[in-house]
Amino acid sequence: MATIPPPPSKRQKIAVTEKLQAQKDANVIPDDLGSVRVQFVDQSTSKPAGAPVSIPVADATVKNLELLLNTLQRNVGGPSTRSCSHQTIEYVQIAEPTQDNSERIPYRFTYVSNSPKEVADKSVDIGNDLYHSIIKPGFKTTEESISLQYTPQAVFRVRAVSRCASSIPGHGEAILSMAFSPASSSKLATGSGDTTARVWDCDTGTPIHTLKGHTSWVLVVSWSPDDTILATGSMDNSIRLWNPKTGEPLGPPLKGHTKWTTALAWEPYHLQAPGRPRLASSSKDATIRIWDVISKRIETVLSGHKGSVSCVRWGGTGQIYSSSHDKTIKIWEATNGTLIHTLSAHAHWVNHLALSTDFVLRTAYHDHTFDVPLTQGGKVAKAKERFKKAATINNEIVERVVSASEDFTIYIWEPSKSIKPLARLLGHQKQVNNVTVSPDGLYIASSGWDNHVKLWNMRDGAFITTLRGHVAPVYMACFSPDSRMLVSGSKDTTLKVWDVRTGKLKEDLPGHKDEVFAVDWSADGGKVGSGGKDKAVRIWRH
């Protein structure tokens, strides 16, 4: 017989009522604060968007600020304004937009304090309104002018995956890695302990090709940015290249490493010589090798690490980043293989790296519009433009690196300015497995052996929230292409979808019968793929 809890006592009821009332009072904005002057500034160019605007504090919510900025940018018709003096637009009333708001752009607002009293710049994301984010904490008063930096959010919106569309058997052993094609969510590649890689049709839930050739576990799979080549790295120390359309191998395997491959990174599309893509591979043998994919030859061997190289990334500025079990991160010049910097701060193995520009480098000229340029020059120009847009902060191309370690810490680096870390992120209670940066470059998600996923601010490393729900170590996490959601896969057999803004669980996705090792969210946002110890590939959709 089930135990029925007793009804709450009078004291408990009063305590709950008081708590709810306190929460309600905390969110109320006083009516007697008058107006505040706000100057909107573009974060990437540092240019002001029109004249300062006087806004009633009671109406200064993020939604209304967004509507006002769209009006100033002429994206929609919106708030009515009064007396347009040459200095300030005096703001009267926030009204709903009178024109079609299909062109309205969602924005994220940040206040950056550059007061001489403070040692370092203090940045604050505007949560719900200006009062609770800036005025109440004392950063500014209503007598002062507030400068708000704005960043456009994704104009498309990804819907949360909520059901398993297909569970596809085929692999004979655990699935160790997976990656969606950068062009669409229709094709998914997986690598398995059964020595094969497979390409799947995610629309019909059927296998397309089985890629046979490796003689040991396939540890990593990676698509070229133009979607024409699939690379696989294995425990047999070799790398193989495949045509994903036919499933045929592209020549003999790439042999050179003396131990197994740990990671693969393609040269960014806008840096490639026409028709000659290059591939970087890292290995347990403490080296990174750069391969000419067409001639199947080693161009350069980057040796300098004293331990296994755990991760490699090829940046959009032409530099290669590698992390190792020797506790260091090294930065190499991709053209001639010279060592530029060695970053030392971690006290234990460095497990994983992520770049602030990872998403645009992976997808090159593919985006949510599915508008692919017809010419080679057009594709390169679009890929370069997308990279510059993602990497530009205050008129500078900035590429940041995030490193995760066995010492429970995460570091943010900006190697173009300093070899000292920009921020040290503390909070995990055990080793950190994986880090990933949101496509808009504003958030970091870290997955750890302490069963938690943590969210951090990419700009200054500030802790945002802990996503609690998993009951076993979290192996990896992946952002949705619009940066509004995050999916995590865990040893507890579940996937969980989280709302990044609120930090709350959006969807719980049980279904796997054993540990989930690999998870990926397609670049167009339509599907999530997952695989693990139960040997089945699962495709999740809305």
Side-chain angles (χ1 to χ4, degrees), residues 19 72 112 235 258 285 315 328 332 350 355 384 404 420 462 478:
K19 186 178 178 183
L72 291 172
V112 178
M235 280 275 272
T258 57
D285 66 10
T328 67
W332 315 80
V350 186
L355 300 182
K384 194 168 188 176
K420 291 184 178 178
C478 192

Side-chain angles (χ1 to χ4, degrees), residues 205-379:
T206 54
I208 305 174
H209 303 297
T210 302
L211 313 178
K212 294 181 179 177
H214 287 295
T215 57
S216 189
W217 300 356
V218 180
L219 297 174
V220 56
V221 294
S222 180
W223 295 81
S224 63
D226 61 359
D227 187 42
T228 58
I229 304 172
L230 180 68
T232 57
S234 168
M235 280 275 272
D236 63 12
N237 307 351
S238 73
I239 296 149
R240 288 178 180 262
L241 303 172
W242 312 84
N243 183 334
K245 291 184 174 63
T246 64
E248 296 296 317
L250 297 173
L254 310 180
K255 291 187 175 180
H257 286 298
T258 57
K259 291 186 179 177
W260 63 84
T261 310
T262 56
L264 297 171
W266 287 90
E267 183 176 19
Y269 192 77
H270 64 275
L271 298 178
Q272 291 177 9
R276 295 198 78 84
R278 293 189 295 169
L279 177 70
S281 62
S282 61
S283 169
K284 174 81 172 172
D285 66 10
T287 67
I288 301 104
R289 291 170 193 262
I290 301 174
W291 307 85
D292 184 320
V293 168
I294 305 303
S295 67
K296 309 291 186 294
R297 290 180 179 172
I298 299 170
E299 271 198 6
T300 318
V301 179
L302 309 178
S303 55
H305 281 296
K306 296 183 177 73
S308 170
V309 183
S310 56
C311 190
V312 64
R313 286 282 188 270
W314 200 319
T317 55
Q319 295 175 346
I320 292 174
Y321 306 88
S322 62
S323 62
S324 169
H325 286 183
D326 66 7
K327 312 179 201 172
T328 67
I329 297 139
K330 290 186 185 287
I331 301 166
W332 315 80
E333 183 58 59
T335 50
N336 54 20
T338 55
L339 179 64
I340 304 170
H341 297 304
T342 298
L343 310 178
S344 305
H346 285 294
H348 210 306
W349 297 349
V350 186
N351 288 333
H352 198 245
L353 290 180
L355 300 182
S356 57
T357 52
D358 268 344
F359 183 77
V360 289
L361 296 179
R362 170 190 167 188
T363 53
Y365 52 81
H366 301 102
D367 61 14
H368 66 282
T369 64
F370 298 103
D371 182 18
V372 177
L374 299 175
T375 64
Q376 174 72 16
K379 290 176 179 177

Side-chain angles (χ1 to χ4, degrees), residues 132-152:
H132 288 101
S133 299
I134 295 176
I135 297 171
K136 189 177 178 182
F139 295 118
K140 285 281 185 177
T141 67
T142 53
E143 303 295 321
E144 300 173 279
S145 180
I146 298 174
S147 179
L148 288 184
Q149 293 187 352
Y150 64 88
T151 313

